[in-house]
Amino acid sequence: QLAESGGGTVQAGGSLKLSCTASEDIFKECGMGWYRQAPGKERELVSTLTRDSTARFDTFYVPSVKGRFTVSRDSAKNTVYLQMNSLKPEDTAVYYCATRCPPWLEDSWGQGTQVTVSS
């Protein structure tokens, strides 16, 4: 239900933009999270884009990416983006998007996209 794209290999300091496209129904009802899993490490949360109780969108970033990564959404394309700037070798991982849905909907995960940052 989620289709990811945008990974690749860049040098340190470079940028990549990941995309995660969902069905219209999922996009309207659910927030989205970006996660990553580096080799030999557990999957970790990177960023979220969710609605608050007033239906406004809130963003969250883990400290290691705050100020470098930006999460956004395009309603016309049912797509959430993760713009990654000033990439570091430690950002190397497989990146996943996943829905953050209300309780009556089942969450789903993207297939993952590899991001490699060379020093």
Side-chain angles (χ1 to χ4, degrees):
Q1 290 183 322
L2 301 179
E4 293 186 52
S5 62
T9 300
V10 295
Q11 290 188 332
S15 298
L16 284 172
K17 187 174 185 178
L18 307 183
S19 301
C20 178
T21 302
S23 66
E24 184 175 358
D25 289 346
I26 293 297
F27 190 81
K28 286 182 178 179
E29 295 289 340
C30 303
M32 197 70 71
W34 286 97
Y35 300 77
R36 66 186 180 187
Q37 187 166 18
K41 295 186 177 181
E42 294 186 355
R43 190 173 298 184
E44 63 173 355
L45 177 67
V46 174
S47 176
T48 62
L49 179 64
T50 55
R51 294 179 191 268
D52 64 17
S53 58
T54 66
R56 291 178 56 187
F57 284 101
D58 284 335
T59 59
F60 167 80
Y61 303 94
V62 295
S64 59
V65 308
K66 197 169 186 178
R68 300 189 297 121
F69 290 12
T70 303
V71 62
S72 62
R73 67 196 302 270
D74 184 336
S75 299
K77 297 182 179 180
N78 298 332
T79 298
V80 174
Y81 302 98
L82 185 68
Q83 176 69 47
M84 306 185 294
N85 299 328
S86 302
L87 283 163
K88 304 175 181 180
E90 52 263 44
D91 294 320
T92 295
V94 177
Y95 283 71
Y96 300 87
C97 61
T99 57
R100 298 172 74 88
C101 294
W104 57 88
L105 290 175
E106 184 176 356
D107 283 318
S108 56
W109 287 79
Q111 79 277 16
T113 185
Q114 177 70 47
V115 171
T116 303
V117 184
S118 60
S119 58

